[in-house]
Amino acid sequence: MSNDDDNGIHRLASRRDFVKAIPIAGLAAAGMTRNANAQAPDAGTIKSIQIPPDLATSMTAPVRVTSFEGKGQTGAEIFAGMCKAENLAAMFCCPGNYTVINAIASAGVLCYGGRSEGAMAAAADGFSRVTGEVVACSGTEGPGLTDMIQSIYTASAAHTPLLVLASNMTIAQEDSQSFIQQVSQQELTTGIKKYGKRLTVPGRVHEYGAYAFRALKSGVPAPVHLDFPGEVARARFTDPNDLTENYDKSKYRTESRAAPSAPDIAKAIDMINKAARPLLIPGQGIFQRKAWEPLLAAAEKQDIAVCTSGPSRGHFPDDHRLSASLSPKAVLSADLVIFVGQYQMPTRTDYQLHQDVVTIRVHPSQDDLGRNWPLDLGVVSDELLFMEALAARLPRKKRATWAAELASARAENQKQMDDYYALGLKYGSSTGKLHPAVIGRELYNFFYAGAIDPKQTAHCWGGLTNLRFLPPYLRANRPGQGVCSYYQSGTIGAEINHGIGIAAAAKEGYGIQSAYKGAPVLAVGTDGAIAYALMELETAAKYRLPLICIIYNNDSWGVWTLAENDPRALHMYLFQQNLRYDKAAEALGCQGAYVQTPEELRAALKRAYDVAAREGLPTLINAQGIKEFSSASLYPPGVNIIQGPNIAAISH
Amino acid sequence: MTGSTDIHAVLDFYAKRGLLRNVRTTLSEGRATRVQFTWHYDRTFDLRVDYEASRLSFTDAFPNVPAASALYRDLTGFIDGMMSDSMPIHRRVDRRKTIVHGELIDANVAIVADVVDGDFDYAARKLIQVVNEIYFGFLPNSAHYDYQVQSLGLEPNAITFA
């Protein structure tokens, strides 16, 4: 307990060996609540859950270096070498596509193997959303790829640079109805990828690897899909001259980016100078291009309000005085809006802005400028280069009135949240269950307003029933701290699987997560979501990923209110009541907790945090509510949608 | 635009800014004009301008609103707030120029702007702002999600609550 502070919060003082196998008996000795069946052998006949010793051995095995000498390299190994050279951050997969995934793992890329391809692809998406890096997912041909489709779609909506890999039987078997798993892959990912290719000529494996990484690392990112027939993956090469376009990344792609023109920058500065209430909306492009420092500098130079958009949050801190993410009413006052790196452009009725607002949009390519939203100035520029130019050339100017309006709107918003919290306490007191506003406040108090560094805890969230109550409490005060899992897709279940990927990034302290290496990660989801993700908690436990998963359990699809007036339809919206997802998590090797009061939730969070920080063990906290909390007539104000730009926005 | 009485210029301005779609004049008779356009939730908004009465109104803007309902109380309260000192001055409706209010006729609430000083342009812009803020500021923060689905055409399948 030497690393505990006065509040009993465990400090992340030392590097831990998360790979080390931890017998369940040891966890029980640490005082955690565990399912008795899961932790205790039954008279020696039922063994406790154990991490296999082979796991640590496998993960620390030496990296294999291949060459054209001797037996040469397979097509899979050529591609794996490219992945390593391109700093592929990680791969999440299920076995299948064996030749390729084994080669990538052997090349030294961080790899995770899980229970379903779809969930693992979402975990890869989550890893990328908090690091900004290219991450891969992989599965077998027919069933593996089709299981990944939902997650590829979700990543596509978020413009995640996700490398989708899948095997594809053999070219020789094509159209033969031979054996199992044959499917024509590329058609299946039409519309949800930036580039895709079925590799058919073994000697072009490097060339198409270059196509893939060029697409992943240039311009506006999105998923890229390569499928590997056996003839390509297993082909052997002993002579580099047998490969087409076999040169390194400095030759097959460029780091050169479009800089803003001098007239464009001058006009943008003139428009900003003339505005009384300018608002910057830094989107996914600012995160992808790691442009948060010049963004902060530019905003502070002229008191420009900032409200981030996109699937990743924190590239402008929520706790900054110029942040408008919690000042929705002030956003409506902006007279100039500057979209930078807004990859999913809203229409004029999608975004809560004033009807007279003047618009600048900055985008890395010309072809999307003017889409959906009429421009007063369109600027073709890389996001980082634009922000650097703006920060350097913008003259200093104070906008005290605008800053005061932001502060006033933030206070008004806080008052509304306080009112919701008071209502939630009242409703909780009368029902004995947890209202989402109370869950949100407890999470905020624990992770963002207590003993824990408010910049530490990375989080992701989903769940639209609680949209107005819970997400506004999940703060992002540094880049890669927050993820909106439903961004632009509304994919239920993504939030838990994203959490697994985020916890992997946190555990490794990968890239921009390095300052909080090993820190527990928070994933907030719903009982609707857990159906898509429960089994993957076993993967989180296997790899000792420090995940704290909150399930808001209201025994139903939250949209049940739409069947309130259709009695014969209502049953389709209902689950069994009081389901014990926590027990299911325990049976998969995680810690579980079932909570119905704020006090129980508080205690469960403390236990979950401690076991995540100390051992990397995940916890599922099953927070029991009731479906009627969604009803505006029974428990006002009930559900509602939240339009952006806003801390709780799920689109644009 | 100040001082002009041609509200078409105002509507054209917002059409060119992507705010209003399918703007079409359905009546132009003497001192009365009626214009329809597509706007929030892809609904058709019907703007009537009566120059004799110095009045602009979105008729049937909010259908199916009982007089004694919380929605009616909340909605009219919000509209009144648009003219109050608590609203930032750059968004406030100057009641010396225009008075905005909700008018209940047969369970339909019309959003009305009465022009005080003859400046129809100001009244038109403020009336559009009021409706904009009802959709952006009032409805998202209200307890009336079901009303939006049942009476305003908000598409529930656009999102699924989990």
Side-chain angles (χ1 to χ4, degrees):
Chain A
M1 295 290 188
S2 59
N3 286 338
D4 286 4
D5 66 10
D6 293 343
N7 299 296
I9 298 299
H10 186 73
R11 291 292 184 196
L12 300 162
S14 61
R15 170 79 173 101
R16 295 176 193 291
D17 182 5
F18 290 100
V19 177
K20 185 178 174 186
I22 302 168
I24 296 304
L27 297 172
M32 291 179 291
T33 307
R34 303 289 308 223
N35 179 299
N37 290 333
Q39 68 174 340
D42 181 5
T45 58
I46 302 175
K47 292 186 186 275
S48 61
I49 297 170
Q50 296 281 342
I51 293 177
D54 290 347
L55 187 79
T57 307
S58 170
M59 293 189 74
T60 53
V63 170
R64 189 166 62 210
V65 179
T66 60
S67 77
F68 291 103
E69 304 297 321
K71 288 194 303 180
Q73 298 180 88
T74 64
E77 287 168 341
I78 298 285
F79 181 72
M82 295 184 78
C83 291
K84 188 66 181 167
E86 286 280 11
N87 298 316
L88 178 68
M91 179 177 69
F92 293 76
C93 66
C94 288
N97 198 18
Y98 311 103
T99 314
V100 172
I101 66 167
N102 290 359
I104 290 173
S106 297
V109 173
L110 185 62
C111 290
Y112 300 89
R115 306 300 293 257
S116 73
E117 291 88 347
M120 291 302 278
D125 185 1
F127 192 111
S128 182
R129 290 191 193 201
V130 294
T131 61
E133 305 297 336
V134 175
V135 183
C137 61
S138 177
T140 192
E141 34 261 273
L145 177 74
T146 50
D147 192 45
M148 287 195 282
I149 293 293
Q150 183 189 68
S151 297
I152 300 169
Y153 156 71
T154 306
S156 171
H159 285 281
T160 299
L162 178 70
L163 175 59
V164 179
L165 305 171
S167 52
N168 199 333
M169 297 303 284
T170 62
I171 299 165
Q173 290 169 299
E174 192 168 299
D175 301 327
S176 68
Q177 299 182 336
S178 173
F179 199 47
I180 57 173
Q181 297 199 348
Q182 288 201 48
V183 70
S184 187
Q185 290 192 19
Q186 291 297 327
E187 293 90 331
L188 294 174
T189 52
T190 299
I192 53 174
K193 66 187 168 195
K194 182 177 180 182
Y195 173 75
K197 181 68 181 173
R198 181 184 188 217
L199 308 184
T200 54
V201 179
R204 299 182 73 181
V205 64
H206 190 281
E207 179 185 345
Y208 282 112
Y211 266 92
F213 282 105
R214 192 161 50 240
L216 287 160
K217 296 202 166 190
S218 306
V220 177
V224 166
H225 171 199
L226 294 182
D227 58 290
F228 282 83
E231 288 92 337
V232 175
R234 292 193 289 272
R236 285 213 166 265
F237 298 91
T238 54
D239 183 347
N241 292 317
D242 291 338
L243 294 167
T244 58
E245 300 189 18
N246 182 24
Y247 29 75
D248 70 29
K249 62 184 179 184
S250 69
K251 307 240 178 351
Y252 65 68
R253 64 181 182 84
T254 179
E255 292 294 342
S256 177
R257 312 270 176 172
S261 72
D264 282 348
I265 275 288
K267 188 166 182 192
I269 288 172
D270 182 54
M271 291 167 76
I272 294 169
N273 274 331
K274 285 177 178 163
R277 295 172 300 281
L279 171 70
L280 261 162
I281 299 187
Q284 173 75 339
I286 290 286
F287 177 68
Q288 289 290 337
R289 294 291 298 128
K290 298 181 171 54
W292 41 79
E293 287 181 7
L295 166 67
L296 181 67
E300 289 183 339
K301 252 185 158 179
Q302 281 230 354
D303 280 356
I304 303 173
V306 182
C307 191
T308 56
S309 68
S312 302
R313 298 191 67 259
H315 37 283
F316 194 84
D318 285 332
D319 60 5
H320 194 282
R321 70 183 180 87
L322 294 171
S323 171
S325 61
L326 287 155
S327 310
K329 289 198 174 174
V331 165
L332 263 165
S333 285
D335 58 353
L336 170 70
V337 60
I338 310 150
F339 293 103
V340 187
Q342 180 80 21
Y343 291 165
Q344 295 278 6
M345 201 60 198
T347 67
R348 289 299 308 264
T349 49
D350 287 326
Y351 253 18
Q352 300 183 34
L353 292 172
H354 195 277
Q355 72 273 12
D356 291 335
V357 74
V358 174
T359 302
I360 300 172
R361 186 180 171 205
V362 181
H363 197 67
S365 66
Q366 193 179 21
D367 54 7
D368 207 58
L369 285 167
R371 182 178 186 174
N372 291 349
W373 192 295
L375 301 169
D376 294 287
L377 175 63
V379 179
V380 178
S381 175
D382 170 72
E383 296 89 339
L384 176 61
L385 296 178
F386 176 82
M387 290 313 310
E388 285 176 343
L390 200 61
R393 296 185 50 189
L394 208 55
R396 290 203 176 275
K397 183 174 181 175
K398 286 289 172 200
R399 290 187 171 87
T401 309
W402 182 216
E405 186 176 343
L406 287 169
S408 171
R410 196 175 306 121
E412 193 177 342
N413 191 64
Q414 183 60 50
K415 166 74 169 56
Q416 185 177 62
M417 290 172 68
D418 291 344
D419 291 345
Y420 289 158
Y421 174 62
L423 266 179
L425 284 176
K426 182 178 139 192
Y427 295 156
S429 174
S430 65
T431 60
K433 307 294 181 189
L434 278 164
H435 188 275
V438 175
I439 298 171
R441 178 63 65 95
E442 291 296 338
L443 294 178
Y444 173 75
N445 288 342
F446 189 84
F447 289 104
Y448 306 103
I452 296 169
D453 179 351
K455 286 185 166 55
Q456 176 182 293
T457 308
H459 68 260
C460 59
W461 62 269
L464 296 159
T465 305
N466 49 35
L467 206 53
R468 78 159 91 207
F469 303 115
L470 209 160
Y473 283 110
L474 302 176
R475 303 298 164 84
N477 297 315
R478 63 167 171 94
Q481 192 176 4
V483 166
C484 171
S485 291
Y486 282 20
Y487 178 78
Q488 206 66 32
S489 70
T491 306
I492 293 169
E495 64 268 43
I496 312 301
N497 296 318
H498 283 167
I500 290 169
I502 295 167
K507 176 183 164 179
E508 294 298 322
Y510 198 93
I512 59 173
Q513 298 297 330
S514 62
Y516 297 100
K517 185 172 186 173
V521 162
L522 177 65
V524 181
T526 66
D527 51 352
I530 196 64
Y532 296 84
L534 180 63
M535 200 61 211
E536 222 57 64
L537 291 178
E538 192 274 320
T539 305
K542 180 180 88 170
Y543 287 110
R544 288 294 186 258
L545 303 179
L547 179 66
I548 300 169
C549 179
I550 312 290
I551 294 300
Y552 174 57
N553 180 357
N554 64 359
D555 308 321
S556 66
W557 293 105
V559 77
W560 72 273
T561 54
L562 296 173
E564 267 183 306
N565 299 322
D566 299 299
R568 280 190 64 86
L570 182 61
H571 67 92
M572 296 187 289
Y573 296 74
L574 307 179
F575 308 152
Q576 296 178 83
Q577 293 181 325
N578 311 313
L579 285 171
R580 298 300 300 272
Y581 306 109
D582 51 307
K583 296 287 184 190
E586 288 174 358
L588 294 171
C590 301
Q591 184 179 224
Y594 182 75
V595 297
Q596 300 182 84
T597 67
E599 295 76 20
E600 290 172 355
L601 175 57
R602 233 168 278 151
L605 285 173
K606 172 75 169 58
R607 288 197 304 275
Y609 184 89
D610 283 350
V611 77
R614 289 178 206 282
E615 322 288 356
L617 190 75
T619 294
L620 185 151
I621 298 175
N622 185 356
Q624 184 69 57
I626 56 172
K627 74 178 192 307
E628 286 78 9
F629 287 156
S630 306
S631 168
S633 58
L634 298 171
Y635 292 92
V639 300
N640 215 336
I641 56 169
I642 305 292
Q643 287 178 289
N646 187 296
I647 192 171
I650 58 165
S651 61
H652 304 106
Chain B
M1 291 184 285
T2 304
S4 164
T5 55
D6 182 8
I7 60 99
H8 290 94
V10 176
L11 300 179
D12 186 52
F13 174 77
Y14 289 125
K16 285 179 177 164
R17 300 196 71 76
L19 196 70
L20 312 177
R21 289 173 288 132
N22 307 323
V23 180
R24 58 200 177 277
T25 301
T26 57
L27 175 72
S28 185
E29 201 172 87
R31 298 286 288 159
T33 296
R34 189 173 170 185
V35 185
Q36 292 186 333
F37 45 81
T38 309
W39 196 10
H40 289 284
Y41 296 178
D42 282 335
R43 296 186 68 222
T44 298
F45 285 73
D46 189 0
L47 176 63
R48 299 183 187 207
V49 185
D50 184 337
Y51 291 101
E52 292 292 347
S54 292
R55 166 172 283 212
L56 293 83
S57 62
F58 282 112
T59 56
D60 303 336
F62 293 93
N64 310 317
V65 182
S69 66
L71 174 58
Y72 182 67
R73 183 196 63 221
D74 295 346
L75 180 59
T76 51
F78 181 84
I79 295 167
D80 287 345
M82 293 293 298
M83 297 181 289
S84 78
D85 291 346
S86 62
M87 180 63 71
I89 195 159
H90 44 269
R91 278 163 58 196
R92 192 181 306 158
V93 178
D94 184 348
R95 61 172 70 240
R96 293 168 303 181
K97 294 177 69 61
T98 290
I99 293 173
V100 289
H101 58 97
E103 195 166 280
L104 187 66
I105 304 168
D106 296 332
N108 294 322
V109 177
I111 310 298
V112 178
D114 286 325
V115 185
V116 175
D117 67 348
D119 189 346
F120 278 75
D121 286 348
Y122 178 86
R125 285 188 285 116
K126 285 300 178 183
L127 184 61
I128 283 171
Q129 182 193 329
V130 168
V131 174
N132 213 37
E133 298 221 11
I134 287 171
Y135 276 86
F136 283 159
F138 169 69
L139 290 172
N141 294 307
S142 73
H144 307 299
Y145 173 77
D146 292 349
Y147 171 79
Q148 295 175 68
V149 172
Q150 290 157 11
S151 296
L152 296 184
L154 178 65
E155 176 50 70
N157 288 328
I159 53 173
T160 303
F161 296 104

